[in-house]
Amino acid sequence: MHRETDKSLLLSHIRYALEGARRWCKFQAMTRKARVDIAHSLMESSRYSVMEWKQFAVSQAKELTLGLDDSDLRSQLAQRQCLLHRLSGETESAFTALMDGLPHKTNRRSHAIYGHTILQRALNHIQLDQLDKAIASLAEWQPVSQPHSAMEQVVLFRQYLLMGKILRYQGHFKASLQYLQGAQNITNTAKDLIFVEDASDLACNLADTYLELDDPAVAESCLRAAMKHQVPKQAALMIALAECLFAQERFVEVDEILRHISQCQLKLMKMDKLRQSIVQAKLSHIRTQFEEAFRYWTEAMSNLRRFTLASGRTTRIILLSQCHVLHCQGLYDIENRTRDQLDALERCAGMSGASYWVSGLRHWLHFLESCKQL
């Protein structure tokens, strides 16, 4: 809490200083070096805090860079603008933003900056469930130096991480693991680079892929190693761990983790909330606590609606779960109405895209299909 207060106070001072500078001495009156340094600092700060600050920081960085002939700086600003548009659900604007200031790939630094533009474009495609286009986009960049520069290694790490995630979504689990292990190898061997901020994402993606490969014990070890090192995003790691323990039928431990997350009031991202509600629903379901299970499945469906990448397969499994709960409760009329939704979904849903978006649901579907009612 103290740290959050300090950060809020610091941002207020930065805002006050910037507004004063713009009012009294004008950004254009500053030296080029000062404008570039402040713009870079603002763009870096836009990675943190709330959306309002992100928008303010990027808008100020844009104003500071007006008139500067710096293609690399324009590209970095375009990447930040793209991210803001994507977070706001403005995907078309996110693609358009990347057209502004594509760098000239004249040196290793510019080439690495271009690699980050490629990553943003791939993330735009992922948000639209255009996974093949995302893969094609990622294939447009390769490092040009041997040995790879530090900047290139960062891009390569994130390229491998994204490829591993996309391939898991598509059901190519062994290929996914190869890319994720490649990303892990970079974190273990890269000199003078620290990937603390990415450690949770890598651990969760490795765990999800091992889970799909029917190796939940290895998945668990990946997550516990990350948690031991106190990396960021502890809530995401704990929810993924609960999924791994559920796969091993260690239901008491799953319950303990879910209670701990609730009691500690950990900050949850929207994906964390979706996965938490799914694990809670499965736990209640398997314990035949059907009223509670139906409530959590309904909560999961509500959380699912917040995503663009909500494949028909994920929705179908949640609806099937609700049908099974209703059948077990003898609520056949409501079950039939839910099945009508399911039939309509199956008529409309395509087979492409993220078929295995939420790890663990494939195995849960096998459980549902083993029940005679389904």
Side-chain angles (χ1 to χ4, degrees):
M1 188 68 180
H2 177 64
R3 192 173 295 175
E4 287 296 318
T5 303
D6 287 349
K7 183 172 69 175
S8 177
L9 186 62
L10 177 61
L11 295 182
S12 297
H13 281 298
I14 294 172
R15 185 192 297 270
Y16 178 80
L18 284 168
E19 289 175 346
R22 184 171 56 181
R23 183 182 304 114
W24 299 112
C25 66
K26 308 298 183 185
F27 288 157
Q28 285 69 26
M30 295 179 180
T31 65
R32 174 189 173 87
K33 184 178 186 306
R35 290 166 67 185
V36 170
D37 286 348
I38 296 171
H40 275 302
S41 297
L42 284 167
M43 285 190 285
E44 184 67 16
S45 76
S46 71
R47 297 170 56 207
Y48 308 101
S49 195
V50 297
M51 177 62 80
E52 191 273 335
W53 171 260
K54 294 176 188 291
Q55 293 170 335
F56 173 79
V58 171
S59 68
Q60 295 295 292
K62 183 177 182 180
E63 189 172 340
L64 276 158
T65 57
L66 285 175
L68 296 181
D69 184 19
D70 189 327
S71 61
D72 287 349
L73 189 59
R74 286 199 307 273
S75 294
Q76 290 170 304
L77 181 59
Q79 292 160 17
R80 298 298 183 195
Q81 291 173 313
C82 168
L83 174 59
L84 286 184
H85 286 306
R86 190 169 61 249
L87 289 173
S88 302
E90 302 164 354
T91 314
E92 186 174 338
S93 297
F95 278 108
T96 303
L98 294 179
M99 301 303 295
D100 182 23
L102 283 175
H104 304 290
K105 295 174 282 183
T106 54
N107 54 57
R108 292 192 302 177
R109 182 176 186 275
S110 293
H111 183 65
I113 291 171
Y114 175 65
H116 286 287
T117 298
I118 290 295
L119 293 173
Q120 289 298 322
R121 188 185 302 156
L123 287 165
N124 288 345
H125 284 304
I126 291 172
Q127 187 161 23
L128 293 175
D129 206 10
Q130 299 171 344
L131 302 187
D132 288 335
K133 289 185 177 180
I135 290 174
S137 183
L138 290 172
E140 293 178 26
W141 188 90
Q142 292 295 328
V144 293
S145 57
Q146 289 292 342
H148 306 328
S149 69
M151 290 183 71
E152 285 177 323
Q153 287 186 84
V154 171
V155 177
L156 198 60
F157 167 83
R158 292 186 175 144
Q159 184 187 46
Y160 285 171
L161 183 59
L162 267 184
M163 279 294 295
K165 185 181 296 187
I166 293 167
L167 290 168
R168 190 187 79 248
Y169 288 168
Q170 294 180 320
H172 306 305
F173 305 130
K174 290 183 179 179
S176 168
L177 182 60
Q178 289 177 343
Y179 274 101
L180 294 174
Q181 288 175 333
Q184 188 176 43
N185 184 56
I186 291 173
T187 67
N188 293 334
T189 59
K191 296 180 179 178
D192 303 320
L193 286 174
I194 300 174
F195 292 88
V196 172
E197 292 178 22
D198 300 288
S200 294
D201 288 340
L202 177 58
C204 287
N205 277 285
L206 276 167
D208 285 345
T209 296
Y210 277 120
L211 198 59
E212 295 290 6
L213 288 168
D214 300 316
D215 202 341
V218 175
E220 179 187 351
S221 67
C222 291
L223 295 165
R224 290 198 185 278
M227 293 169 71
K228 183 179 178 181
H229 288 94
Q230 295 294 306
V231 299
K233 300 181 182 177
Q234 287 288 310
L237 291 167
M238 293 176 71
I239 292 166
L241 178 60
E243 189 68 69
C244 295
L245 296 173
F246 184 90
Q248 298 174 70
E249 300 185 5
R250 291 156 63 182
F251 302 131
V252 173
E253 293 173 76
V254 175
D255 197 18
E256 289 173 353
I257 289 175
L258 295 174
R259 288 179 185 276
H260 178 75
I261 293 170
S262 298
Q263 290 169 357
C264 294
Q265 297 182 329
L266 297 176
K267 183 180 179 181
L268 302 180
M269 306 300 286
K270 63 179 184 178
M271 188 62 185
D272 300 333
K273 292 177 182 178
L274 174 62
R275 294 194 68 169
Q276 180 188 33
S277 57
I278 287 174
V279 177
Q280 287 177 317
K282 293 197 299 183
L283 183 63
S284 299
H285 199 135
I286 209 77
R287 289 175 163 177
T288 66
Q289 298 167 345
F290 292 124
E291 287 187 12
E292 190 175 86
F294 191 85
R295 177 165 58 84
Y296 283 129
W297 285 123
T298 303
E299 182 181 317
M301 187 67 81
S302 178
N303 288 328
L304 185 63
R305 294 191 184 101
R306 301 179 63 193
F307 290 88
T308 305
L309 190 67
S311 72
R313 185 183 292 260
T314 305
T315 308
R316 176 177 178 269
I317 293 171
I318 293 176
L319 286 173
L320 276 173
S321 301
Q322 290 179 320
C323 286
H324 184 243
V325 168
L326 292 167
H327 188 94
C328 291
Q329 290 179 304
L331 301 172
Y332 304 123
D333 289 343
I334 305 176
E335 178 195 357
N336 289 333
R337 289 199 294 271
T338 305
R339 287 190 180 280
D340 289 341
Q341 295 180 47
L342 186 59
D343 292 340
L345 174 69
E346 290 179 339
R347 285 194 297 270
C348 299
M351 295 304 292
S352 62
S355 297
Y356 303 98
W357 180 43
V358 181
S359 187
L361 280 182
R362 182 172 66 92
H363 297 88
W364 180 251
L365 179 60
H366 293 164
F367 163 76
L368 293 174
E369 289 173 342
S370 71
C371 300
K372 292 181 179 179
Q373 293 88 351
L374 299 175

